[in-house]
Amino acid sequence: MEWFLGFGIAGLIVLALSLVFDGVLESIGGLDGFLSLPVIAGFVSALGFTGAIATGAAGAGAVVATLTGIAAGALVGWATWRFSRALLRDGGPPAPRGEDLAGTSGAVVTAIPAGGYGEVLLYLAGQPVKYAAKAAAPVERGAEVWVESVLSATSVTVRPVER
């Protein structure tokens, strides 16, 4: 039973070190994915503590306790791997970019003079964003406009919507 408790405690120590040093140990050992340190620590801890419980509480022999510990360790290792993948997943849509504005409509909030800049309110990923706007002809405040092109991260070229 002491061997199993030793495995369980060793697994917890490895887990604590992997959390404290946050990836440093993985970069040294080149371990990633299913062989990452948290997965290995979970496997070893579950094997050790399950083996100790099997021998101490159930009175199982070393072989049965080891097989039970391996099964529990595999389950905990797999669950740790799945959980870490879910936490690190890059799911969801990509972040919106300014180039996504071309072809969208908006409203003029500050009149656009001939040859100068005004301001338009556009919606980027559902959020209202104010941009500096330039147009070929003057555009009055409140007019609906289409974005023709993106000039920079904060400015666009627009044209009035003709109905």
Side-chain angles (χ1 to χ4, degrees), residues 15-124:
L15 179 61
L17 289 175
S18 72
L19 293 176
V20 168
F21 292 111
D22 193 29
V24 173
L25 297 175
E26 282 92 348
S27 64
I28 293 171
L31 301 175
D32 193 23
F34 196 68
L35 290 178
S36 66
L37 285 180
V39 172
I40 292 170
F43 174 81
V44 172
S45 291
L47 182 147
F49 290 131
T50 303
I53 290 170
T55 56
V63 174
V64 172
T66 302
L67 293 176
T68 305
I70 288 173
L75 181 66
V76 169
W78 176 82
T80 305
W81 175 66
R82 292 290 297 189
F83 184 66
S84 64
R85 281 187 54 209
L87 288 176
L88 299 175
R89 184 173 302 145
D90 280 338
R97 301 172 313 189
E99 294 85 34
D100 296 337
L101 291 171
T104 62
S105 65
V108 177
V109 292
T110 303
I112 304 172
Y117 283 91
E119 292 179 319
V120 294
L121 185 64
L122 304 172
Y123 287 89
L124 183 62

